[in-house]
Amino acid sequence: MKTTGVRRYLVPLLAVWALTRLPLMLFVLKVYVFPGPDVTSDVSGIYRGWYEVLRTGTFPLDDVTWQYPPAAALAILSPAALPFLDYATAFFVLACLADLVVLALLAYAGRRPGLSPRGAWVWVAGMPLLGPTVYARYDVMVTAVAVAALLAGARHPRAMGVLAGLGALLKVWPALVLLAVRRRSAWAAAALTGAVLAGLFAVTMPGAFAFLTYQRDRGTEVESLGALVFHVARQFGWSGEVLLNYGSVEFLGPYVDVVSSAALFLTGMAFGWLLLWRLLARRFEAHTVADAAFVAVLMFTTTSRVISPQYLVWLVGVAAVCLCHPASRMRLPVGMVLAASFVTVLEFPLWFAHVVASDALGVGLLFVRNGLLLAATLVAAVRLWRATVPGAAPALDAVVPAPLSRTPTAGSPATRP
């Protein structure tokens, strides 16, 4: 690609990124106040508290809100790299830099032969839809690792495995990027990386795996799919209540354990479906790894007992990698995820008080957001199955007739059916 072409490609991308990220930084730095609850309190309060404990060489064993794998300590400690800034400001700057790293990875990938810049645009457009929450959680850092793993997979399977192993110990879900990978070297590298890092944390820092107990005891968070049961039940006199519990706003009361168990059952079913798909899939293309990862992250997000706003960061990141591939079957589900991202910033933080109150506005927003995620999950799963499993009906959008008015000329590539 000539220098002029590169400039035409990168300048608009960087300009839009800068214009959309500046407001996010101004909001988290509180130059301007974003409506609703203060989304930065997790960083200035919870993260900062963990930081002080982690600096002593141990995990926060007595804090039930610590529900993350051991490598999450690296993200929480990362502001130490900018000692000239206070903790919160340093964290926001690093989150913004992680955002820029993702853009750089996607932009570079978009210049490769056979790939598209569309993925970079999905990332640029998708993040601001979620509002300042994206810089007030460490999920954008985790997503940068997962995106790097997916983009490295085709050429550098061992690097993909190392990044996936690191990502899994940051927040578990990046392990899903390996779902459709067939090269054993990637799996071996992931297993070795995970084992070495886990062993190092276990030996050097007490309480490395205490998070497993705290995750087990979580209930049904008010934004989850299962929570809709109780939002509706409150209209008919359900006697439970909404309280801050295990670090999130959850429903507590009669039948909550039943709904939480049902969510775990659905997650188990999702895992079973993914395992069945992996055993039966035979048609693997360049985009299949990203498409499968997108379906897997969608499934585990939608069926989770908790659907925090930052979970959408994961989905937008993997969706962006999907659309780097022009042949990806995930265009419609990606559009649904972007729409769900916009609805998410409306329900949190903008009108979160209405969600907690289970009034018409709050419940309506959750029905729309969770409905979009559920629809995206089902459509994406069907398209993945049809595209990869022998004997399945071909995806309707996979058959694109060649334009009748164009005929390949000498030296030009033939139009694909």
Side-chain angles (χ1 to χ4, degrees), residues 30-364:
K30 297 186 179 179
V31 176
Y32 298 102
V33 177
F34 198 83
D38 180 11
V39 300
T40 67
S41 60
D42 277 21
V43 176
S44 58
I46 298 174
Y47 285 14
R48 178 57 191 267
W50 291 342
Y51 172 81
E52 297 297 341
V53 175
L54 290 166
R55 289 177 64 189
T56 67
T58 184
F59 285 91
L61 300 175
D62 299 325
D63 188 347
V64 296
T65 61
W66 177 261
Q67 301 166 7
Y68 308 107
L74 301 176
I76 303 303
L77 291 169
S78 62
L82 303 176
F84 48 88
L85 297 175
D86 66 85
Y87 181 86
T89 302
F91 184 91
F92 301 142
V93 170
L94 292 172
C96 184
L97 287 176
D99 178 2
L100 184 58
V101 166
V102 176
L103 175 63
L105 291 169
L106 292 166
Y108 178 77
R111 294 175 53 203
R112 293 183 196 167
L115 297 182
S116 166
R118 189 180 290 112
W121 282 109
V122 167
W123 179 256
V124 168
M127 285 298 94
L129 293 177
L130 290 165
T133 303
V134 298
Y135 287 169
R137 306 291 187 271
Y138 83 92
D139 296 81
V140 68
M141 302 175 185
V142 182
T143 302
V145 175
V147 168
L150 282 169
L151 293 175
R155 298 182 176 184
H156 309 286
R158 288 187 178 86
M160 180 186 194
V162 170
L163 290 166
L166 171 61
L169 284 181
L170 281 168
K171 208 162 188 179
V172 180
W173 72 266
L176 297 172
V177 304
L178 295 172
L179 177 64
V181 173
R182 293 182 292 173
R183 295 190 182 184
R184 294 181 180 179
S185 57
W187 285 92
L192 180 60
T193 301
V196 169
L197 287 176
L200 286 174
F201 278 112
V203 169
T204 60
M205 296 181 69
F209 298 97
F211 76 98
L212 295 171
T213 300
Y214 299 148
Q215 278 286 356
R216 181 194 64 197
D217 295 335
R218 294 195 74 161
T220 297
E221 192 255 348
V222 294
E223 297 165 276
S224 65
L225 186 64
L228 289 171
V229 173
F230 300 110
H231 282 294
V232 173
R234 291 179 87 183
Q235 316 306 315
F236 299 94
W238 179 68
S239 59
E241 54 188 344
V242 176
L243 293 174
L244 183 63
N245 187 54
Y246 285 96
S248 63
V249 181
E250 299 180 353
F251 281 115
L252 298 176
Y255 306 110
V256 171
D257 57 336
V258 175
V259 172
S260 296
S261 297
L264 291 174
F265 176 74
L266 288 175
T267 299
M269 288 185 63
F271 179 80
W273 186 93
L274 291 168
L275 179 60
L276 180 63
W277 170 81
R278 188 63 182 84
L279 292 173
L280 297 180
R282 293 293 182 271
R283 295 191 293 264
F284 287 82
E285 301 176 68
H287 55 84
T288 303
V289 170
D291 286 359
F294 182 56
V295 172
V297 178
L298 267 172
M299 284 187 166
F300 283 103
T301 299
T302 305
T303 61
S304 175
R305 293 171 293 173
V306 179
I307 305 182
S308 296
Q310 61 267 26
Y311 290 13
L312 276 293
V313 176
W314 318 343
L315 291 171
V316 173
V318 182
V321 179
C322 288
L323 292 203
C324 282
H325 299 273
S328 172
R329 273 76 171 179
M330 297 297 142
R331 292 185 185 183
L332 177 58
V334 167
M336 293 177 180
V337 165
L338 292 178
S341 298
F342 176 68
V343 181
T344 295
V345 79
L346 298 181
E347 62 91 1
F348 183 89
L350 193 57
W351 288 318
F352 191 59
H354 295 275
V355 173
V356 174
S358 299
D359 64 18
L361 176 58
V363 176

